[in-house]
Every structure is written in structure tokens, then in C-alpha cells.
Amino acid sequence: MDRIVIKKIEENITFESPPVLVCGLPGIGNVARLAVDYIVEKLKMSKIYDIYSTHLPAQVFVNSNGTAFLPKNSVYMKNISKKKSMIIFTGDFQGNTPEGQYEIGETILNIARENGVKTVYTLGGYGIGKLVENPRILGAVTNLKIRKKLESAGVIFSENEPGGGIIGSAGVIMGLAGEFYGMDAACIMGETSGYFTDPKAALAIIRTLSTLVGFRINLKEMEERSKNIEQLTEKMQGEMQERSQKDDLGYFV
Amino acid sequence: MDRIVIKKIEENITFESPPVLVCGLPGIGNVARLAVDYIVEKLKMSKIYDIYSTHLPAQVFVNSNGTAFLPKNSVYMKNISKKKSMIIFTGDFQGNTPEGQYEIGETILNIARENGVKTVYTLGGYGIGKLVENPRILGAVTNLKIRKKLESAGVIFSENEPGGGIIGSAGVIMGLAGEFYGMDAACIMGETSGYFTDPKAALAIIRTLSTLVGFRINLKEMEERSKNIEQLTEKMQGEMQERSQKDDLGYFV
Amino acid sequence: MDRIVIKKIEENITFESPPVLVCGLPGIGNVARLAVDYIVEKLKMSKIYDIYSTHLPAQVFVNSNGTAFLPKNSVYMKNISKKKSMIIFTGDFQGNTPEGQYEIGETILNIARENGVKTVYTLGGYGIGKLVENPRILGAVTNLKIRKKLESAGVIFSENEPGGGIIGSAGVIMGLAGEFYGMDAACIMGETSGYFTDPKAALAIIRTLSTLVGFRINLKEMEERSKNIEQLTEKMQGEMQERSQKDDLGYFV
Amino acid sequence: MDRIVIKKIEENITFESPPVLVCGLPGIGNVARLAVDYIVEKLKMSKIYDIYSTHLPAQVFVNSNGTAFLPKNSVYMKNISKKKSMIIFTGDFQGNTPEGQYEIGETILNIARENGVKTVYTLGGYGIGKLVENPRILGAVTNLKIRKKLESAGVIFSENEPGGGIIGSAGVIMGLAGEFYGMDAACIMGETSGYFTDPKAALAIIRTLSTLVGFRINLKEMEERSKNIEQLTEKMQGEMQERSQKDDLGYFV
């Protein structure tokens, strides 16, 4: 097997205009993948490629009906309107190694280039290690032109965030797109505790993305999932506060 | 050395009908390997290939007479009847890395395809972390047609088992067979504690497989090994119960 | 992507004489990188190549204005005078693996050979695990001819230092240069505690290098950074002494 | 750089008869390397190849005069008499990975085959985790013919030793020699505690090897080193005994 195998799912794809590429793979708070899975489902996007790789874990997943499938990355497309098309890149895992992440990144960017992509948004979670009430959307960009576009969509650029850079596929794909493909690329990160799968941050990401790309999407289900998490969060905060008040009263050392 | 080296052991192999492929490598409870080693021995199968690889550990094993040999994977065959043939794939180790497991998986599937294989059974242990009285045989499949066949042989499909998917060669070979070789593939897992080498689970696997593939095999020895383990298991359970009763009586904290 | 991608930054480079190569990558006390970054800046050297690689971590760094960039290694040049030219090799990371460090080492040495390099200085920190008042500059060489040159510039050769050899790129590039490129190579190590980024050791390295290569450089800023560290060091030593005196008085066990 | 680079040191080598190959790389108790280094020195063997590899650690070693060199493996030769020739393979490290150990193993075996080698001895330490008074020499072989030869030289074949097989280069080279090169191969292991560099086990190995290969060698220096270790061993044993006697008297719990 080649290290990367691209399987065409749909033969005749026509983009009515040069698409934007949106990348969302599993990562911090699973924010990116939650967001793109929701978009793919709600916009009924068409799957055009499956990408298998020896850079992905050696296993199968098993569905509830007992059918099993290899881990893969997948590419979806949709002509949103005559003037707007979108490609979404998602998958079960990021590459196992740095080399794998670079190679898979190049694979999706080659597909993007063939289809005329000029703009790339990679999605991610920005883990801050504590509960988040109103997740900010933070940005990083490959040039200042696209920064303006992001700012006008409410994306925040904060001087020291993210401090350590952007690790993994969201970083690599963005970096390669800017450095080697001449594309405008940005990473859009939803603030999250990082403690659990975070639909609230995913919801914020979807809202930002719908403005940036220009699609309409029914947010109801994600809003509900987000509310459930919010209630859970409040409950946890309440309990923690209670506990710390008790501590202050000296009941516990 | 190429990363994978195939050594032909027997020159003139004729399959009287398209064989099924059965794969059993070391893993949880050593269930899969115990099962296939027993079948190979009792059916006096012929070894047709040895597969050496830099994906396997760098060492030799030493026999009791002092002779040493490199770790390898091996392929055996048998024409069970005019209408039934079987290939068994087994070996000393799974590949060291995900990449190695994918590459070795492809190697055996190429051999299978050349010989007309249409159906693949990979074997495995399903570790549940506690002693098992009557090991169930759980299944996962690449399509629903083969699921029916397994169910009629008593294989159980349980909605959330195995929860985390099937890790390693049993998963990869099954997944590749379905996705890239157009074969019907299934993974057959014997329930086991996972604490020790488990002939009881292996026995259950062999029984299921003899129904599925259609071979007769003298089970006496494996039944004895299984009984020995059963007695050990009962003894352990007895001791554990006793100990916990003592605890209840307050003799020990 | 190839495992190593060389991007030409400046098209028409002319070396007025065969340059020396100076290599400074991140490592112990960040001494080497501090030194070369300072030299590149103060001598206003021209960047001639960026080197990207799947051997480097899969991430981007983010600038304070939100622009992001892939990690890379870079090559700078300067004609110091009619008779002296210099190439500097630096970067964000050393290769992730031994194989990566060898391959990146060869890449820079191939560039060096094409441009007529005959002499190579790799820089490093020599971590001694305690505070250093006057950092010595220790040397290692590929032949005794270059040892003399280093000694006359004040570099110390101490029989058992560095005891365990020189690990990483500074070692590999030096070794490859001598063994496979017929170059005179030396590693110049600034003594450092290894506890923090150490401008004092970097300053000592720069002074030695300016003698060896023959360039003049304004050291003021690095001297200031070095003084700050010195004050910090003295304060820490003072506190530690105080604490140990108290211990002697028996106040604490 | 290729993953393995062979550098010819001496141009015109003539073996007066087909040589035996002896392999001794660093490992348990450093027994193998101690033994071959001593033989190379005392027999004044000629170095014929240096082997560099990206499978070896990325570093240099530094001599006491400050000269540095890349880690490597080396091949030495000697015509012991008209009818006896020997090749010795040694080096600074074993390959970093299983793949590296296989590839380096093949490299030396290719050199061996080109020069007519029919018999291979790989050397190793057999670590037993306690002090050894009279180290046995244990053997493992690729066929029973060579087992006889070893037995007549005093090598012991013990049914369950080494229990877990022979890990690393000594195993791999022996296994490859037998399986792929049609050579008679044996591994000769000197019993050692494994706690320290063990000249006593190395001495025993050299004695066995001189019988097997048929060379005479001045053992005086190695005997002295061995005696020193013996005295150290006895002292340690004495101290340990004393301590345990005190324990029996109840002075200490």
C-alpha cells in the first residue's frame, strides 16, 4: 500500500465557483471535528474522496450494527450558491507522526489546488484549562489581508494567544497553504476548557464560519447540545464554589 | 533487505476451490494464535510461505535444542475437501508499528487474492478484564451479508461491543480486505479476561470457525487445556470469594 | 512533500571569497541560537535559503500580529570583506529524529560545498549543571590543524570535556563535514548552567567567533543582556549562600 | 545521505582462505565489544571498512585530544595463517531501531558473502542479574552441525537458556546469516551479571573463540582486567554476606 491512498467517491464533481477549503480534524475539545461534522450533515454535503493512510492508526472502528471500517480522512463538497462553493476536510484521526501530518496536509492541499481553492480555514480548539462561559474565537493567519476579513467576522487577534503556536494538522495545513500553495489561510480557534467534547465552542466556530464563507445553516441542534453543556458547566461551577466556600469556613483543611 | 521478504516454502500448490483466509496473530489472551496453531497442527496443514520483515522485532527465538530462528509470519494451506480450501496466516508477532501492520496486512491479502480468496476471517481475543465462565464469540463484519453467515454460526453481535474498535492486525486486515480487495471479511473475537493465555476462548473460536469454514477437527487436547484453565479459574474465584468474605467479617480492613 | 524542501530566498548571491559556515541551532541554554541570531541581526546578513522539512515538528508559530509560519531552518550570508565571507545556518528546531538530524546536516553541508566552504564552526552550549561565573569556551575538532587555530583564539581543550561527546546537530554537522566533505570543522561550546537561556555564554561564543572568522560586531546589547543574567545569577548565589549558612547554624535540618 | 554508507579503508584485501565472520557490538555487560576490541588490537587486524548510518545516534564522540568523530561500525580482517582468515565486525552502537538493526546486519553479511564467509559467530553477554564466579559460555546456533563444533569447544547448550531469545544485532545477524545467506551461524554468549562492563565474561568468550577460529592470542592483559573485576566481585560479595549476617543477628530489621 502506498502511504496515502485516495479513493474517489463521486466521479463528476463541478464546482460552480472556486471553493474555500475548511479543515476540521479531531483535536482539543474535539471542537473542529464537531463543527465540520455538523456542517457536512446540515448542508448535506457530498463526499468526494476518502483518504486512507499508513500514517493513521492500525485498527478498525465498529458501527452499532457490527460493520467495521478503517480509519480515514474524507473530503466533502457543496455548491452553496452560484458564487460560493466549499470543500470540507475531516477525518477520524490526525496523522500518527509529524511526517504523517505533513504528508496528509499536502494531500488535501493538492486536491484543493486542483479544484481552484484560494482560501483555507483550518479549525481548532484553544484549550485554556478552565471552564469558559462565552468562548472567544481566536485567529491566526498567513497574511494580513485575511486577518482583516476574519476581524470583520468577529475573530479576535490576541497578542500572546495562542502562545506556543498551533500544534498539529490545523497548524501544518495552514502553514503549508500559505508557504507552498499561495493560498490565503487562517486558523480559527474556539476557546474551550479542553476537559471534554465542547459543542459550545463548536457552535461559536460554526457561526463565525457561516459569516466568513457565507452559508446558512440550522443551528438548533448544536444550540441544544451547547445548552446542555452550559448547564453542566454551571452545575460544576456551582459545586466547586460551594466546596471552596466550605473550605473558607474552615470545615476542611 | 526489503521491508518485507516472502520466502516460498512449497512450490506446487493447487487449491481445489477458492480458499477462505483465516488470520490469527498474537494478541489479547493469545486467543487467535492458540486457535490457529491448533488448527494448523490437527489438520496437518502445509506451510507455503514464510514472511520476514524489518517491521518485526530484531531478535531470534531459541529452540530447546539451541537452534535459533528469526521471528516471522507464516502462511499454511489445506484442501479440506473438493469444495473447501483454507489458508491460515499466523506468526510470531504483529508488525512493530501501524505502518508495519498495514504493510504486512497487504502482503497476506495479496497472497490471498492471487489464490482466489473471497472470504476472510480474522481472529482475536475480546478482553473484558474479569474471569469469563462461558466465553461468547463476538463478531464484526465488513458487510451485512457476512454478518448473517456469522450469526447462523452462533456469533453474537452486540451493539456496543467491541466499544473502542478492533486495534491491530485483526482490525487492519479485515478493514483492508473489505475496503480494497472486495472480499467479505469478518473478525471473530473470543471473550477472555485478557489476564493469561486463554485456551477456553481459543476453543470457542475453533468451534465457531469449524462451522463457518466447514472442517472437522479433533478438539480433545484443546478441551483438556481449556478444562485446566477452568479449574484454575474456579480455584482463583473461590479464593477471591473467601478472602472477600473474611473481609466482611472484619478480620481485615 | 519531499522530506526536505529548500526554498531560495535571494537569487543572485556572490561570495567574494570562500565563506566559512557557522551553525547555530536551538539546544542547551539556547546558547548557539542566541549567538547566531545576534550576529545575523547586527551584521545585517542576507537570508538566502529557507529549509522546510517533515523532520521538523508539525506546527506553526504565531507572531504577535497573528501571522503564522511553519518551523524552518534558514541560511544567511554576508561578505564581511573582500577576503572574508560567512554563511550562517540557524533555525527553529533541530530534526525530530537522528535520521532527520543527519539529513538536515547533509542539506546544509551540500549548500556549503556548492559555495566553496572549507571551514565549519558549529556552536553549542556545554551544560555543567551549576551557575557559571566566567564561561569558558570549549572546543572539539575534526583535525589538529584547526585545533591550533581555535587555541590561538582562546578556545580551551580539556581532556575529559565534553565527556559524553556532542549530541545532536552540532555534533552531526561537524562530524559529517570532516568525514564526508573534507572540511575543517570544529564545535565551539559555551559553558552554561543549562538552567535557562544564557546570553552570557552566547556573548563568549560571539567574541570567540569574531576572532576566528574575523568580523567586527557591536556587542553592547548582548553585553547588557549578559549583565542582567549576571545580576540574576549573583542574587541567586547570594540567596543560596545565605540559606546554607542558616543551615550551618542549625536553624534548619 | 544514504541510510547506510560504506567507506573503504584499505583497497587491496586478499583473503588467503574463506574467512569466518565474528560480530561483537556493544550490549549486555559490554562483553561482545570488549572481546572483539581486544582481539583486533592483539592480532593487529587491518581495518577494511567503516560503516556510517542514519540508523546510528546523531552525535560525535570526542577523543582526549579534542578530535571528534561520528559513531560508526567497522570491519577488520586478518589472515591468521594460510588456511585461516577472520573478519571482525564491531562498532560504537547497534542500530537505533529494529529496522536499522536488520539493515546494518544485511550490510555486514553482504560484505561477508562477497569475501566467501561460510561461518558466522556473533558474540553477546548473557545477563543473569547476579554475580558470576565462573562464567559459562552459552550457545545458540542456526543448525545442529555447528552446534557440535561449539560443544567440542566447551560451549554449553542449556535447554531453557537464553529463555527469551537473543535480542538485538547478535540475534538478527545470526538469524539472517542462517536464513538468507546459507551460512552456518552461532551466537556465543558469556555469562555476566549485566551490572557492569565485564572483562571476565569477555575473557571466557575470547578463549572459546580462539579454539573455534584457531588463533593464538596473548591473554595477559585481559586476564589482569578480569582479576581486578574478580577481586571487586569478591569484596562486594563479602560485604553483602557480612551485612546479611548482621541482619540474621537481629541488629537490623
Side-chain angles (χ1 to χ4, degrees), chain B residues 50-63:
Chain B
D50 277 337
I51 299 168
Y52 296 86
S53 177
T54 62
H55 292 306
L56 298 177
Q59 60 165 94
V60 284
F61 291 104
V62 183
N63 291 318

Side-chain angles (χ1 to χ4, degrees), chain B residues 88-197:
Chain B
I88 280 189
F89 175 60
T90 183
D92 298 312
F93 290 108
Q94 301 195 14
N96 295 328
T97 59
E99 194 185 11
Q101 291 176 16
Y102 274 103
E103 288 195 8
I104 293 174
E106 282 242 317
T107 303
I108 179 60
L109 288 170
N110 287 337
I111 290 174
R113 181 159 58 190
E114 282 163 24
N115 289 295
V117 166
K118 298 270 179 285
T119 309
V120 180
Y121 301 115
T122 68
L123 311 181
Y126 177 57
I128 60 167
K130 59 179 182 185
L131 295 172
V132 180
E133 206 150 338
N134 295 302
R136 293 174 301 159
I137 298 296
L138 291 159
V141 292
T142 55
N143 60 52
L144 294 176
K145 190 182 86 184
I146 196 168
R147 176 176 162 150
K148 274 191 192 155
K149 199 171 166 185
L150 263 68
E151 281 176 319
S152 69
V155 177
I156 292 163
F157 286 80
S158 174
E159 215 167 296
N160 295 309
E161 292 170 310
I166 302 165
I167 311 296
S169 294
V172 161
I173 294 176
M174 173 206 195
L176 288 171
E179 205 72 63
F180 290 103
Y181 289 82
M183 300 172 183
D184 296 332
C187 183
I188 295 169
M189 292 159 278
E191 210 175 18
T192 176
S193 68
Y195 296 152
F196 39 72
T197 283

Side-chain angles (χ1 to χ4, degrees), chain B residues 1-3 5 7 50 52-72 96, chain D residues 98-99 101-102 106 139-144 147 157-159 162 164-168 171-172 174-176 179-180:
Chain B
M1 175 153 133
D2 293 327
R3 292 196 297 194
V5 176
K7 207 171 181 171
D50 277 337
Y52 296 86
S53 177
T54 62
H55 292 306
L56 298 177
Q59 60 165 94
V60 284
F61 291 104
V62 183
N63 291 318
S64 59
N65 70 352
T67 54
F69 55 98
L70 289 170
K72 58 180 179 290
N96 295 328
Chain D
E99 194 185 12
Q101 291 176 16
Y102 274 102
E106 282 242 318
V141 292
T142 54
N143 61 50
L144 295 175
R147 175 175 163 151
F157 286 80
S158 174
E159 215 168 297
I166 302 163
I167 310 295
V172 161
M174 172 207 197
L176 288 171
E179 205 73 62
F180 290 102

